[in-house]
Amino acid sequence: MHISKKQGTGIVVGVLFVVAIVSFVMPRLSDGRDGGTVSPDENIEVFDSPSVDVGSVNDSLPFRIVGVDSVAPVYEISEISQEAPLDVAWSFGGDFSRIGSFPLSKDSVFGSFSKRPDNLSSYRPAFIGPQGEDAIAPLSKDPYYEPRDGSGTVDGVTWYSSTLSDAYNTTINNWQLGVWDRKSDSSRVLASAQELNDTAKTPALPGEVVPTMNGDKVYYASNVRRGNEWVPSVLECNVDGSGDCRVIAPGSFPAAIADGVLYATDFVDDGTTGTGYSAVALHDGSISNVLTVDSAVSGWCVSGIWASEGLRVVSFSNSVENQGCYLGFWTEDFKECTTWVHTSSPSVVGSVSLSGFAWGAGSQEENAQMYLLDVSRPGEALLLGEAPGYSRPSISADGSTALVPVYNGMDAVKFDVVALP
């Protein structure tokens, strides 16, 4: 939900980031709380490839995956998607006063709101409902951090905010990491880029990176400064704000699971095929590799990871040229590959539930269709509509509700809260 309010268009626009990424670093960070620091994990492993090739080669894919089974039908999204009436429970937005991020239930959406949307420094994180909104954190000041995007459940949500600039500099992400949990019914700031890197100009990471959480931990990814170089790194913080946040590994696209986090790792840049991540790794106290894609040969790289209690989804994009994006669906712990979907957009913005995945093209103007796939019916997908510049549907963790942006022409985007069967 990287938000900018374009003068002259009135359209809320998401932004994709592209930056150069270099070698890995383990810094320390004062987080502004008593005893709070980001500490390095000194037992970091970096992987070249798994030692054993598990599963057979899927000849329908333009790349090869090792480490997990990849054999499953490959569908073209345009051939399996169809439009159907949506059960819209309620709607909001259209005037910049309330901006949705993701649904918690049919009656509650996490997002941000302002009673003075003409004032860009007036938005607060909130739960939005049919009757109004309930702020869950105070308005930040000196500097002001605009709430952007996040993830979570009815038991807790995490989000990042970023400072504003007059030009909305999309190459910079001067972020602050927040969390709210139901147990304490309170919010707290866990870390910030300013404290991490001692600068207000931390370069943004490529793609869509949002914080993610399980019951105890919050994970996020940021560039970390090492001298004059910047390195993508996965951060881990305690939900209750205790102890130290720490850098746990080089990488990006964290996806929390019950006992740890999945993330993209092994940065590839051979000077020929472009740049990207070649592997998915798991951190659950130690670090192990899950899968590797032949990035150095094909140019295909990991471009996103999503996880729920019963589902794992990984997107693969070509770092050299637009060949669309492949979405791979696996059962929990990557035990079985169930299906593949190919989309026309070079990357996707996605949201996962126990058994479903909703996605769109993000801020891209082309291929702006939005889709929902239930893995129990892998050869079918629901077309949710089309939203140029804001193609970013989301789904509640329990799969009961979807949040669907509605293109509103020259005005601010609207949001439909859709009840799912």
Side-chain angles (χ1 to χ4, degrees), residues 98-145:
R98 297 192 291 176
I99 300 171
S101 176
F102 62 92
L104 300 170
S105 68
K106 66 177 181 180
D107 298 316
S108 182
V109 170
F110 173 79
S112 63
F113 84 99
S114 171
K115 294 186 180 300
R116 295 181 55 198
D118 58 320
N119 180 358
L120 297 182
S121 301
S122 62
Y123 286 84
R124 299 172 64 182
F127 295 142
I128 300 170
Q131 307 305 319
E133 59 282 323
D134 181 17
I136 61 172
L139 185 70
S140 62
K141 297 180 180 179
D142 301 323
Y144 168 73
Y145 287 87

Side-chain angles (χ1 to χ4, degrees), residues 39-250:
S39 302
D41 184 336
E42 297 178 354
N43 299 310
I44 295 297
E45 298 180 55
V46 177
F47 305 97
D48 294 323
S49 65
S51 59
V52 178
D53 185 357
V54 179
S56 302
V57 175
N58 191 333
D59 293 330
S60 297
L61 297 174
F63 50 86
R64 180 173 176 264
I65 291 177
V66 294
V68 297
D69 183 22
S70 64
V71 176
V74 180
Y75 298 100
E76 189 68 37
I77 187 60
S78 61
E79 298 176 357
I80 66 170
S81 61
Q82 54 185 325
E83 192 171 1
L86 300 180
D87 182 9
V88 178
W90 54 285
S91 303
F92 66 96
D95 60 359
F96 290 122
S97 64
R98 297 192 291 176
I99 300 171
S101 176
F102 62 92
L104 300 170
S105 68
K106 66 177 181 180
D107 298 316
S108 182
V109 170
F110 173 79
S112 63
F113 84 99
S114 171
K115 294 186 180 300
R116 295 181 55 198
D118 58 320
N119 180 358
L120 297 182
S121 301
S122 62
Y123 286 84
R124 299 172 64 182
F127 295 142
I128 300 170
Q131 307 305 319
E133 59 282 323
D134 181 17
I136 61 172
L139 185 70
S140 62
K141 297 180 180 179
D142 301 323
Y144 168 73
Y145 287 87
E146 180 187 48
R148 301 293 176 95
D149 207 356
S151 62
T153 70
V154 292
D155 294 321
V157 297
T158 181
W159 68 94
Y160 82 97
S161 305
S162 290
T163 54
L164 295 170
S165 69
D166 293 337
Y168 277 92
N169 190 340
T170 59
T171 64
I172 300 298
N173 183 18
N174 188 31
W175 54 266
Q176 185 181 78
L177 185 61
V179 67
W180 173 92
D181 69 283
R182 180 174 296 278
K183 183 178 180 180
S184 67
D185 190 23
S186 62
S187 65
R188 57 193 62 87
V189 174
L190 298 179
S192 73
Q194 177 71 48
E195 295 162 338
L196 175 64
N197 294 312
D198 194 27
T199 178
K201 297 183 178 181
T202 294
L205 289 177
E208 297 278 340
V209 181
V210 299
T212 179
M213 66 187 295
N214 53 28
D216 302 315
K217 306 291 185 182
V218 169
Y219 299 94
Y220 189 50
S222 170
N223 265 311
V224 173
R225 187 166 65 176
R226 180 186 182 184
N228 294 324
E229 299 179 334
W230 292 98
V231 179
S233 304
V234 179
L235 309 178
E236 179 187 72
C237 306
N238 293 332
V239 169
D240 63 8
S242 64
D244 294 347
C245 292
R246 65 188 186 119
V247 174
I248 61 172

Side-chain angles (χ1 to χ4, degrees), residues 366-386:
E366 297 181 352
N367 305 304
Q369 297 83 5
M370 299 172 287
Y371 303 98
L372 173 64
L373 185 140
D374 186 327
V375 293
S376 67
R377 299 187 296 274
E380 303 174 13
L382 177 62
L383 177 61
L384 298 173
E386 186 172 344

